[in-house]
Amino acid sequence: MIEKLAVIGVGLIGGSMARALRQEGLVREVVGCGRGRENLERALALGVIDHYTHEVGAAVEGADFVLVAVPLGAMRRTFADMRGHLSAGVVVTDVGSAKASVVRDAREGFGALPPFFVPGHPIAGTERAGVEASFPELFRHRRVILTPLAGTAPAALERVEWAWRHCGAEVTRMSVEHHDEVLAATSHLPHMLAFGLVDALARMKENEEIFRYAAGGFRDFTRIASSNPVMWRDICLANCEALSAMLGRFSEEMADLARTIRNADGEHLLEIFERAKAARDRFIDGVDAERG
Ligand SMILES: NC(=O)c1ccc[n+]([C@@H]2O[C@H](COP(=O)([O-])OP(=O)(O)OC[C@H]3O[C@@H](n4cnc5c(N)ncnc54)[C@H](OP(=O)(O)O)[C@@H]3O)[C@@H](O)[C@H]2O)c1
């Protein structure tokens, strides 16, 4: 049981986790924290939180579980504002989409990495933002990656795992560096492709006509370009190294594809497409099998 859950950043992710824990009957009290009044009033009306404050220090006072779900750019300030207000026995976790930057921010914000801090990242989301977009099933059958550090207390790690499992997630652990490399490839790079493609097309002279004839495939592929721009700016800045390396490798692949098309090398094209189709089919079959 969580006696007092403090959610710093009651948006899509923070709101969804609070809702999931609440639905499971695992929290007695939820306090929300954010800058704006409107989103927090909405969170109150939706029953996601019981009360709110705009002060991080006041929110975490007396809390036994603190969930930090603000954009990456706001992490350091948030950790710093907690100093001197946390109770003994508290567990603090975050949901930031890049982990090395959060660990750096925690070290700087707290002054040193505390044993009660468990960095985490749910691999779940939508392109919508704010508490209005949150829902308790968001993490069901989805993975949550925890990246515990050398000094992380085992009890804190177990408590965070316990909470995520009750949200319906499958919890895995990996190192901070590995997480950032894997996510650069599987999430951050695809978002760059979607943002880059839509922006490039939108800036073409004939853009109205292009978008008028855009069909299902374009819609599917570019859905993630509707994601929160502030969040994605922060992710690029936070995971700059791994993402730059991945973009470099991908640009070479694209150059190879362009060359193959220019050379009208149908055989090589078929080879690329068949390899990609087989890989995706295998991946989709694997996901379906996991979900039963
Ligand atoms: N969306 C996804 O697909 C996804 C998936 C996995 C992880 N994440 C991570 O989850 C975190 C939150 O993302 P989200 O999608 O839940 O975003 P969101 O819906 O926009 O929620 C973010 C919340 O943080 C508050 N906030 C924004 N800027 C702040 C600041 N400078 N200081 C303090 N609070 C601030 C906002 O409330 P106020 O504006 O009222 O302050 C808002 O309620 C991010 O770190 C993101 O990397 C997102």
Side-chain angles (χ1 to χ4, degrees):
M1 192 74 189
I2 296 170
E3 293 299 324
K4 181 180 174 186
L5 169 69
V7 183
I8 319 299
V10 194
L12 169 69
I13 303 292
S16 294
M17 190 176 188
R19 285 180 140 168
L21 291 170
R22 180 145 257 181
Q23 198 174 63
E24 286 289 296
L26 293 175
V27 277
R28 236 181 275 285
E29 177 192 352
V30 184
V31 55
C33 181
R35 301 163 305 173
R37 206 166 158 266
E38 208 178 308
N39 184 62
L40 291 167
E41 282 292 336
R42 194 67 198 127
L44 209 51
L46 291 167
V48 178
I49 57 174
D50 300 307
H51 52 105
Y52 68 80
T53 164
H54 300 296
E55 303 296 326
V56 174
V60 303
E61 208 90 51
D64 52 341
F65 199 110
V66 176
L67 174 67
V68 182
V70 297
L72 288 166
M75 291 281 178
R76 202 190 61 76
R77 176 81 259 150
T78 303
F79 294 132
D81 289 345
M82 284 180 200
R83 276 176 92 168
H85 296 277
L86 293 163
S87 306
V90 71
V91 165
V92 178
T93 190
D94 79 293
V95 295
S97 306
K99 298 279 39 109
S101 74
V102 172
V103 171
R104 207 166 38 240
D105 289 344
R107 189 181 289 116
E108 285 169 16
F110 285 120
L113 278 173
F116 55 74
F117 175 59
V118 182
H121 178 203
I123 313 300
T126 72
E127 62 283 11
R128 299 182 57 219
V131 73
E132 194 75 55
S134 68
F135 57 101
E137 298 83 14
L138 177 62
F139 310 110
R140 216 171 269 173
H141 306 303
R142 307 307 294 267
R143 280 184 210 278
V144 170
I145 302 173
L146 299 182
T147 61
L149 309 158
T152 305
L157 181 57
E158 274 161 34
R159 189 138 167 83
V160 174
E161 275 197 15
W162 164 86
W164 278 119
R165 259 193 246 107
H166 278 283
C167 295
E170 187 197 321
V171 183
T172 51
R173 298 178 191 181
M174 63 175 72
S175 73
V176 166
E177 297 72 26
H178 191 50
H179 167 279
D180 285 1
E181 278 169 19
V182 169
L183 268 291
T186 55
S187 166
H188 307 169
L189 177 63
H191 277 82
M192 294 310 106
L193 304 188
F195 280 127
L197 173 67
V198 175
D199 184 50
L201 294 184
R203 285 187 294 109
M204 285 180 186
K205 249 198 346 277
E206 324 73 353
N207 72 65
E208 273 193 29
E209 189 170 24
I210 290 172
F211 286 112
R212 194 171 320 128
Y213 289 104
F218 178 82
R219 210 186 161 92
D220 289 350
F221 183 78
T222 58
R223 179 184 55 82
I224 52 180
S226 294
S227 301
N228 184 340
V230 173
M231 185 177 109
W232 280 98
R233 175 204 59 194
D234 286 2
I235 291 173
C236 289
L237 297 178
N239 202 18
C240 147
E241 229 171 89
L243 180 53
S244 300
M246 206 46 76
L247 275 167
R249 274 174 63 179
F250 185 74
S251 304
E252 283 169 24
E253 296 286 334
M254 281 292 105
D256 177 53
L257 187 58
R259 237 182 343 262
T260 310
I261 293 170
R262 207 178 313 116
N263 295 340
D265 185 347
E267 211 172 304
H268 189 34
L269 284 177
L270 206 54
E271 203 180 294
I272 296 171
F273 299 157
E274 279 176 350
R275 202 167 50 222
K277 176 174 163 40
R280 187 173 189 279
D281 290 350
R282 239 187 351 263
F283 157 73
I284 293 294
D285 286 349
V287 170
D288 289 348
E290 258 179 46
R291 293 190 180 163

